[in-house]
Amino acid sequence: MELQDTPEEWRVAGTTTPFQGKKTSVRTDEVVMPDGSVAHRDYQVHPGSVAVVALDDQDRVLLLKQYRHPVRQKLWEIPAGLLDVPGENPLHAAQRELYEEAHVKAEDWRVLTDVYTTPGGSDEAVRIFLARDLSEAQGERYEVSDEEADMELARVPLAEVVRGALAGELHNNCLVLGVLSLFAARAGDGIDALRPADAEWPARPFES
């Protein structure tokens, strides 16, 4: 048995878009099941996202605390953002988000993991990067608004973030997946065995 997800696409007999938002939409597909019956499947159509585990030379992770209205909580998160432009290079997007949200740049980039956040209800794909060799970005800080204007910024020891994730105190999926992936990578073949920052990403193909 090969332990790997594989592409497959069942026939869609019809589709509608009952909601169209600024960045995402909701689609209803009439999916033909293996027995020939048709089932309606509603899901969010999403452009995709990137997220960054930024690790400094003191083994601290750069975290942001931001209000998330759907869950009515302020969550500790890692820098992240949408792939706003179709075909956008995810590394360039991740570098942009790290600059805009934390005014930080990094010299060393690797891919930690690629995930679908909620494949039963959304096609959102996220690439989580590891960024190291951090330094302050040059120039003016990016002007933020709305929820981002109230963000807190902190650098927290990796071990403490992992503890918080396992204790159920931290809930942001990219944060939890990112730090646990980093922890597993260190315990396994090491950081050098991680994929390069420009590794192929079939879920969201991009140009170099």
Side-chain angles (χ1 to χ4, degrees), residues 56-106:
D56 69 14
D57 57 5
Q58 298 181 50
D59 214 40
R60 299 176 302 179
V61 179
L62 194 157
L63 300 183
L64 309 164
K65 196 172 191 181
Q66 183 173 346
Y67 176 66
R68 294 301 187 183
H69 186 70
V71 295
R72 277 37 172 205
Q73 290 191 41
K74 272 193 170 182
L75 302 181
W76 283 108
E77 305 178 352
I78 55 178
L82 298 176
L83 290 168
D84 293 313
V85 181
E88 183 178 16
N89 187 304
L91 174 59
H92 298 167
Q95 291 169 334
R96 180 187 69 235
E97 293 299 334
L98 185 60
Y99 162 73
E100 291 181 356
E101 296 192 343
H103 201 66
V104 166
K105 65 179 182 178

Side-chain angles (χ1 to χ4, degrees), residues 40-54:
H40 289 78
R41 293 290 177 261
D42 303 322
Y43 59 99
Q44 179 192 36
V45 179
H46 194 286
S49 307
V50 291
V52 185
V53 176

Side-chain angles (χ1 to χ4, degrees), residues 53 61 78 158 161-162 165 174-184:
V53 176
V61 179
I78 55 178
L158 174 62
V161 183
V162 171
C174 289
L175 167 63
V176 173
L177 284 166
V179 299
L180 293 183
S181 294
L182 175 56
F183 192 80

Side-chain angles (χ1 to χ4, degrees), residues 181-198:
S181 294
L182 175 56
F183 192 80
R186 283 180 162 182
D189 296 331
I191 299 301
D192 290 339
L194 291 171
R195 286 172 293 159
D198 60 354

Side-chain angles (χ1 to χ4, degrees), residues 8-205:
E8 184 166 345
E9 187 169 353
W10 293 1
R11 186 168 70 86
V12 175
T15 185
T16 59
T17 303
F19 170 78
Q20 179 69 57
K22 183 178 179 181
K23 297 292 186 180
T24 68
S25 62
V26 173
R27 180 177 297 165
T28 300
D29 286 346
E30 300 173 17
V31 185
V32 181
M33 299 288 112
D35 64 1
S37 63
V38 175
H40 289 78
R41 293 290 177 261
D42 303 322
Y43 59 99
Q44 179 192 36
V45 179
H46 194 286
S49 307
V50 291
V52 185
V53 176
L55 189 70
D56 69 14
D57 57 5
Q58 298 181 50
D59 214 40
R60 299 176 302 179
V61 179
L62 194 157
L63 300 183
L64 309 164
K65 196 172 191 181
Q66 183 173 346
Y67 176 66
R68 294 301 187 183
H69 186 70
V71 295
R72 277 37 172 205
Q73 290 191 41
K74 272 193 170 182
L75 302 181
W76 283 108
E77 305 178 352
I78 55 178
L82 298 176
L83 290 168
D84 293 313
V85 181
E88 183 178 16
N89 187 304
L91 174 59
H92 298 167
Q95 291 169 334
R96 180 187 69 235
E97 293 299 334
L98 185 60
Y99 162 73
E100 291 181 356
E101 296 192 343
H103 201 66
V104 166
K105 65 179 182 178
E107 299 301 323
D108 185 82
W109 290 82
R110 312 290 176 97
V111 174
L112 273 172
T113 190
D114 299 326
V115 296
Y116 292 113
T117 54
T118 49
S122 173
D123 70 350
E124 181 184 10
V126 180
R127 169 158 281 187
I128 304 178
F129 291 91
L130 171 64
R132 297 184 299 169
D133 297 338
L134 308 182
S135 62
E136 190 80 3
Q138 301 299 314
E140 297 292 326
R141 284 188 171 272
Y142 181 79
E143 187 175 345
V144 296
S145 60
D146 300 327
E147 290 92 344
E148 292 183 350
D150 190 48
M151 285 195 307
E152 301 174 46
L153 179 65
R155 297 194 181 202
V156 182
L158 174 62
E160 177 63 15
V161 183
V162 171
R163 185 208 64 77
L166 295 178
E169 298 167 358
L170 302 172
H171 304 92
N172 176 265
N173 59 351
C174 289
L175 167 63
V176 173
L177 284 166
V179 299
L180 293 183
S181 294
L182 175 56
F183 192 80
R186 283 180 162 182
D189 296 331
I191 299 301
D192 290 339
L194 291 171
R195 286 172 293 159
D198 60 354
E200 181 183 3
W201 190 17
R204 291 294 183 274

